[in-house]
Amino acid sequence: MFHIGWFLGSGFGIQSWGVPGAVASDHQWMRPDPYIRMAKLLEEACFDYMMFEDSLMVTDTYQNSMEYPLKHGASSPKNDPLPLLPILARETSHIGLIGTIATTFSHPFSAARLGATLDHLTNGRFGFNLVTASSHRSAQNYGLEKHVEHDKRYTMASEWMDLVGRLWDSWEPGALVADEDTGVYVDHTKVHLVNFEGEFYKCRGPLNTLPGPQHRPVICQAGGSGAGRAFGATHADTVIGSSNGMEPMRSYRRDMDRLLAERGRKPTDCKVLFLISPVLGDTEEEAQEKQRAITAQTEASLERSLFAMSYFSGMDLSKFDVDEPLPADFAARINGHQSTMSDYMSAGSTLRQMAKHRATTSVELVGTPDKVAAQMDEITQEIKGDGFLVASPVTLQSITEIARGLAPALKRRGAIRSGYEHTTLRENLLAF
Amino acid sequence: MFRLAWFAGQGAAPPAWNKPWSGNIGKDWAKPDHHIDLARALERGCFDYLMIEDGSFITDSYQGKPDYALRNGWAVPKNEPMSLVPLIGQATEHLGIVATITTTFYPPYMAARLGATLDHLTDGRFGFNLVTAHNDRTAQNFGLEKMLDHSLRYQMAGEWVEVVDRLWHSWDEDAIVDDHENGIFIDPSKVRPIEFEGRFFKCRGPLNTAPGPQRRPVLCQAGGSGPGMDFAAKNADTIIAIVTDVADAKRYRQEMDERLISLGRDPKDIKIFYSVSLVFGEIEEEAQEKRRRLDANAQASIEHWLFEMSFSSAIDFSKFDLDQPLPKLTTNASKSLTAKLNLVEGLTLRQIASAPHLSGIRFTGTPATVAAQMGEVMEEIGGDGFLMYESTTRRIVTEITEGLCPELQRRGLIRQTYSYRTLRENLRSF
């Protein structure tokens, strides 16, 4: 069996504006209702989790202006996703709920407290997706001139996670006694100072709340760079893979195996899930037709791809000739999403060629639900991977196709679970 | 008419553990049901808002260790309160929901985003209660040796409000055009950076979410000190005043009005809620007897008052001789207690700690007589509302929302329905 989740790349924000069937769009983008319905459908489909992306700025890398993202509703407006999770938890019983937090800007004490609280309010189904943030504009919202350099962000994040973990550990299991006869609520001998002093953070502790059912919420991570993978291997229970094709996917999983082993962890301790956007149809022909339309649209909206690549690379790509090879120092200048950009670069040597790559599609999956289910099964066996993250647009149609079409086909093959075995997210993730 | 608000003074920590009618709060404390049920009851009673306290430390001022607090479950374990707001929002339609944020340790950009998100998720019923944090232990959780100096914290908070407010205004009212024909979701000319550079904060902006229905959520504040009151006068929509009696409330109202007028603000725009201490009985005698009993219990639990005084002032009251008068006290923590203590001459610490603990205007009687008394007292004070500040068991809540509120409504003293959708509109409706 493998794992399956949904990666909401636009977080708790405007989804697919202008696309028919968009559910959290127009004047509904800030309502919890579309996400409640989605969570219920994905729980019916027995998904492991929904993961909400987040970012902390309005990007103006492309054309040195905020015009493109604002006009097209691409990435803004976007609410803080963490307050949405308790609402989704209340409306569901089993599905995991992961929300993004920026380690660079969120203090470890606040994050530890928030994490414990959300773990309580989701009955142990919560996870943090850790990002370091990628844009100078994010840093400038927090008073810095420029963003912290890429590798240093991960060094900071590692110390951040170390401290957050220690704060969760500052309460021993069994600290909460609640003995009405002796009048003792908390056993003070089981609550400890942390006295942390690192390069970036200092914290006395203890945490002033009890950890939740998981004690340590699930940690998710998505950086594919060297520093990112090392960080994931050290701290994460699940990582998001977005490679471009079978070989890179296989090698990502192997690389993680190696990095995990170096840190005394087993390959099964960290689930690598690859981004996919399956194209489904009632018949093979219908699916192929849809795929042709998507390809044509991607090529036609070159500007959309240039916008996305500008965001990922941190460079204004409107300044480049789309049919000329990139300058030699291009890769070195990327301070943003390094591995995502290298996937684009493996698709071609000019921007127009690179634009054909879709960051949310590690491998093409086109066909009827049964055919796609079979493909997903084969791929998993071959790369020895752990599963997939659907990153399709959030529209009524795609949610329904996946939850009511693809998921049942996967269940029929015994490829995904047919029911949840455990009550907490980590237990369900580690069950196989 | 006047108003009612509820101050959940223990925040998202177990309220009133191990008391009669505590229920199973010992094991259920982390479930949101306690606060959701409280909110629903307050909405039935047509309260203006529920305000949830918060703090980020375990107090160890008393006896220099956290043992007392931990053993008694006093303000610990305490979950982060903002996560309760969306749940309360889903369970209610009219009640205002105010939650505490610590300006000293919460970056303004993050706060502006959180505030906008919660304003959306509550359909414009959200408010921030602003605190600066008063304790070295809080500071040490965030990497500082000591808490910032009292007046500096408030200067910083003032600048914090400015940044957050500018971020909420970085999107024009009509920025979202949603024009499918021309392919324009947001008009780019209506979203602008704020380019703020102050003494404490620097922030480019713009906010990456649109403001909520109120644009600027309600701001609540509770400082009783000079700088605290100045800060409130400049920034708040509503103020929590912990007072000892009617005279104290009148004095507070006057001092706040003077400040407001000197700042060019209309006193009617800021609603002040005075703390009350309520004891009910089915007949008058029963209520009076209960009040006597509660006072006697308070006198017997000196240690508890020493603990609470230590908590707010960060001074270890276990160190003083109980049967001597107190020396002059200074603190960088909450200053309102030490200010009051320094005014009391000749009393021993035992006498101070065992006196009835005056944390609100006292009303004792049947719901009907209390309602009538409240009407008269509010006339005398001159407005605006009363703050319930009780340790929250379901029984106490029920006495108020199902006993007192109908009596107040019968007398036309509080609203019978909510007139408006958003919290600020309801706060300003009379």
Side-chain angles (χ1 to χ4, degrees):
Chain A
M1 283 209 288
F2 57 78
H3 295 272
I4 188 164
W6 196 299
F7 170 61
L8 286 101
S10 298
F12 179 17
I14 182 79
Q15 307 279 353
S16 304
W17 186 73
V19 174
V23 297
S25 188
D26 300 354
H27 298 286
Q28 297 296 306
W29 64 272
M30 77 299 282
R31 304 211 60 79
D33 312 76
Y35 299 99
I36 294 173
R37 285 191 288 269
M38 186 178 180
K40 286 181 165 160
L41 279 168
L42 296 185
E43 182 162 273
E44 206 186 280
C46 292
F47 270 46
D48 283 65
Y49 60 78
M50 286 170 79
M51 199 283 262
F52 287 83
E53 176 269 3
D54 195 35
S55 53
L56 294 162
M57 43 81 229
V58 180
T59 179
D60 66 347
T61 316
Y62 181 66
Q63 296 178 325
N64 199 33
S65 155
M66 297 187 293
E67 181 174 338
Y68 191 93
L70 291 173
K71 225 174 114 176
H72 299 276
S75 86
S76 297
K78 187 186 299 180
N79 279 328
D80 183 340
L82 297 168
L84 182 60
L85 302 189
I87 296 179
L88 299 182
R90 200 141 173 104
E91 303 279 346
T92 56
S93 325
H94 303 285
I95 193 168
L97 298 163
I98 301 183
T100 298
I101 193 166
T103 60
T104 319
F105 305 119
S106 203
H107 194 278
F109 192 89
S110 309
R113 194 145 178 262
L114 180 60
T117 302
L118 290 172
D119 205 34
H120 283 294
L121 292 176
T122 59
N123 289 319
R125 296 188 276 133
F126 171 67
F128 266 138
N129 176 49
L130 303 182
V131 301
T132 60
S134 57
S135 162
H136 295 302
R137 293 306 188 206
S138 307
Q140 287 159 6
N141 283 331
Y142 290 85
L144 303 175
E145 286 299 327
K146 286 161 65 72
H147 201 13
V148 177
E149 181 272 321
H150 181 277
D151 282 9
K152 183 170 176 193
R153 298 201 295 262
Y154 278 105
T155 311
M156 265 178 87
S158 212
E159 187 176 299
W160 185 99
M161 191 62 240
D162 185 11
L163 173 53
V164 169
R166 289 190 202 210
L167 283 164
W168 287 328
D169 289 341
S170 63
W171 287 61
E172 282 181 52
L176 188 74
V177 177
D179 186 337
E180 270 116 9
D181 295 325
T182 59
V184 174
Y185 193 58
V186 176
D187 178 352
H188 68 273
T189 66
K190 299 200 167 170
V191 178
H192 308 286
L193 299 184
V194 168
N195 279 330
F196 185 94
E197 203 161 336
E199 192 188 334
F200 306 100
Y201 301 107
K202 192 172 162 183
C203 180
R204 184 179 181 274
L207 196 62
N208 67 324
T209 189
L210 190 74
Q214 295 184 111
H215 185 84
R216 179 186 165 100
V218 158
I219 302 297
C220 175
Q221 193 264 344
S225 63
R229 293 185 192 194
F231 179 81
T234 311
H235 300 287
D237 301 285
T238 178
V239 306
I240 303 179
S242 87
S243 304
N244 195 5
M246 292 280 292
E247 235 353 273
M249 286 164 75
R250 192 200 322 264
S251 103
Y252 196 120
R253 178 67 253 187
R254 285 223 196 94
D255 200 32
M256 286 305 291
D257 289 349
R258 174 185 65 81
L259 292 167
L260 286 160
E262 279 172 18
R263 286 153 179 80
R265 296 178 75 197
K266 306 191 296 294
T268 48
D269 287 341
C270 180
K271 305 303 177 190
V272 180
L273 305 187
F274 290 98
L275 293 179
I276 53 167
S277 310
V279 177
L280 300 165
D282 287 339
T283 64
E284 187 65 26
E285 289 71 36
E286 193 187 311
Q288 292 294 345
E289 184 51 48
K290 266 193 195 174
Q291 172 72 343
R292 273 190 288 276
I294 290 171
T295 308
Q297 197 180 56
T298 308
E299 286 178 4
S301 57
L302 173 63
E303 186 170 36
R304 184 75 180 222
S305 302
L306 290 177
F307 162 74
M309 289 192 286
S310 298
Y311 168 68
F312 287 126
S313 66
M315 287 185 262
D316 181 3
L317 299 180
S318 71
K319 294 207 171 93
F320 294 68
D321 184 326
V322 298
D323 293 305
E324 285 296 313
L326 294 173
D329 66 343
F330 186 83
R333 284 155 63 188
I334 298 168
N335 191 37
H337 298 243
Q338 290 182 350
S339 68
T340 305
M341 280 315 297
S342 80
D343 286 344
Y344 274 108
M345 287 163 75
S346 69
S349 55
T350 68
L351 285 174
R352 192 189 297 279
Q353 290 165 358
M354 286 162 60
K356 293 186 183 158
H357 169 67
R358 288 166 60 219
T360 56
T361 309
S362 301
V363 64
E364 257 185 31
L365 295 165
V366 183
T368 62
D370 279 320
K371 179 186 166 210
V372 168
Q375 275 181 297
M376 288 168 75
D377 219 350
E378 279 162 38
I379 291 167
T380 307
Q381 317 269 11
E382 246 208 81
I383 66 172
K384 298 197 172 41
D386 305 301
F388 302 93
L389 279 176
V390 174
S392 304
V394 176
T395 63
L396 199 55
Q397 181 167 18
S398 71
I399 297 169
T400 312
E401 282 176 351
I402 302 275
R404 295 251 165 94
L406 180 60
L410 288 166
K411 284 183 190 178
R412 281 194 292 277
R413 301 183 61 89
I416 64 170
R417 65 166 66 81
S418 298
Y420 294 88
E421 250 187 283
H422 301 282
T423 54
T424 68
L425 174 55
R426 184 178 282 102
E427 286 173 309
N428 280 322
L429 269 176
L430 296 181
F432 49 86
Chain B
M1 282 211 291
F2 59 78
R3 304 161 178 287
L4 301 176
W6 193 290
F7 176 37
Q10 292 281 303
W17 176 68
N18 206 14
K19 305 253 182 322
W21 291 282
S22 292
N24 276 320
I25 202 69
K27 69 175 177 53
D28 291 343
W29 74 277
K31 299 194 176 139
D33 303 80
H34 171 82
H35 287 88
I36 291 174
D37 291 347
L38 170 63
R40 285 203 176 115
L42 299 182
E43 188 160 272
R44 274 199 305 280
C46 290
F47 272 58
D48 280 56
Y49 60 82
L50 165 64
M51 199 273 267
I52 307 174
E53 180 267 4
D54 194 37
S56 292
F57 71 112
I58 302 177
T59 180
D60 64 351
S61 326
Y62 182 66
Q63 299 175 325
K65 47 190 181 163
D67 302 17
Y68 187 98
L70 289 168
R71 211 168 48 240
N72 292 286
W74 198 90
V76 67
K78 186 181 292 181
N79 272 337
E80 185 277 330
M82 297 294 173
S83 304
L84 287 175
V85 174
L87 292 174
I88 297 171
Q90 292 286 100
T92 54
E93 283 176 49
H94 308 285
L95 183 73
I97 310 165
V98 180
T100 300
I101 194 166
T102 305
T103 59
T104 317
F105 301 116
Y106 209 103
Y109 190 88
M110 207 168 268
R113 190 135 182 276
L114 178 66
T117 302
L118 292 175
D119 206 37
H120 281 299
L121 288 174
T122 59
D123 286 320
R125 296 183 280 126
F126 177 66
F128 272 133
N129 176 47
L130 305 178
V131 301
T132 59
H134 60 60
N135 198 281
D136 284 345
R137 296 305 188 207
T138 308
Q140 287 158 7
N141 283 331
F142 291 90
L144 303 178
E145 287 299 326
K146 295 178 66 61
M147 179 54 75
L148 300 181
D149 164 75
H150 189 272
S151 89
L152 192 69
R153 302 201 293 267
Y154 276 105
Q155 288 169 44
M156 195 177 161
E159 192 175 292
W160 187 99
V161 171
E162 213 189 317
V163 180
V164 168
D165 188 63
R166 288 210 205 176
L167 285 167
W168 285 327
H169 286 85
S170 60
W171 290 53
D172 286 349
E173 191 87 43
D174 50 350
I176 297 185
V177 293
D178 192 36
D179 179 354
H180 285 262
E181 219 180 280
N182 294 304
I184 304 174
F185 182 52
I186 301 160
D187 179 345
S189 70
K190 300 199 177 214
V191 177
R192 288 169 299 277
I194 66 168
E195 313 266 9
F196 183 93
E197 199 161 338
R199 185 173 157 203
F200 303 97
F201 300 109
K202 192 167 163 190
C203 179
R204 187 182 179 275
L207 200 60
N208 69 325
T209 188
Q214 295 182 112
R215 177 166 294 271
R216 175 186 162 108
V218 158
L219 296 183
C220 174
Q221 209 270 339
S225 63
M229 287 179 78
D230 289 338
F231 175 78
K234 181 147 188 269
N235 299 295
D237 297 284
T238 180
I239 294 170
I240 304 288
I242 308 299
V243 297
T244 49
D245 54 26
V246 180
D248 198 14
K250 281 172 77 168
R251 180 196 59 80
Y252 193 101
R253 174 89 249 179
Q254 252 177 306
E255 286 185 23
M256 189 52 75
D257 283 352
E258 277 162 28
R259 281 178 166 83
L260 291 166
I261 290 165
S262 78
L263 285 169
R265 289 187 79 192
D266 185 347
K268 285 207 292 304
D269 285 345
I270 292 83
K271 303 304 181 190
I272 305 180
F273 291 76
Y274 311 96
S275 59
V276 298
S277 164
L278 305 173
V279 172
F280 296 105
E282 280 179 36
I283 55 174
E284 198 63 31
E285 289 75 15
E286 188 187 321
Q288 298 295 342
E289 165 55 33
K290 191 168 174 196
R291 176 66 81 181
R292 272 191 292 276
R293 195 161 30 86
L294 287 171
D295 282 347
N297 283 346
Q299 283 172 264
S301 56
I302 289 180
E303 184 176 34
H304 190 77
W305 299 131
L306 294 179
F307 166 78
E308 285 208 21
M309 294 195 296
S310 304
F311 159 71
S312 59
S313 65
I315 296 169
D316 183 0
F317 278 87
S318 75
K319 289 213 169 83
F320 300 113
D321 186 335
L322 275 176
D323 295 302
Q324 292 295 321
L326 284 170
K328 245 339 170 213
L329 302 164
T330 54
T331 180
N332 192 37
S334 168
K335 287 188 183 295
S336 31
L337 173 75
T338 48
K340 290 204 167 96
L341 291 176
N342 288 334
L343 291 174
V344 175
E345 288 183 9
L347 293 181
T348 64
L349 178 55
R350 187 189 302 276
Q351 287 168 324
I352 293 168
S354 59
H357 188 71
L358 296 174
S359 62
I361 302 170
R362 297 186 141 206
F363 296 97
T364 308
T366 64
T369 59
V370 166
Q373 288 168 45
M374 281 183 146
E376 285 165 24
V377 164
M378 189 51 78
E379 275 279 337
E380 219 195 306
I381 299 172
D384 306 285
F386 291 118
L387 181 76
M388 315 293 153
Y389 183 22
E390 314 290 338
S391 94
T392 323
T393 65
R394 286 170 196 268
R395 177 182 165 150
I396 288 174
V397 174
T398 304
E399 285 180 343
I400 293 169
T401 62
E402 318 306 312
L404 177 64
C405 290
E407 289 293 339
L408 290 168
Q409 284 170 328
R410 199 165 305 156
R411 286 167 178 69
L413 290 172
I414 62 169
R415 64 163 67 84
Q416 307 215 34
T417 54
Y418 294 86
S419 314
Y420 297 99
R421 260 190 54 216
T422 68
L423 175 55
R424 186 177 281 102
E425 285 172 310
N426 279 322
L427 275 174
R428 294 200 177 174
S429 59
F430 56 87

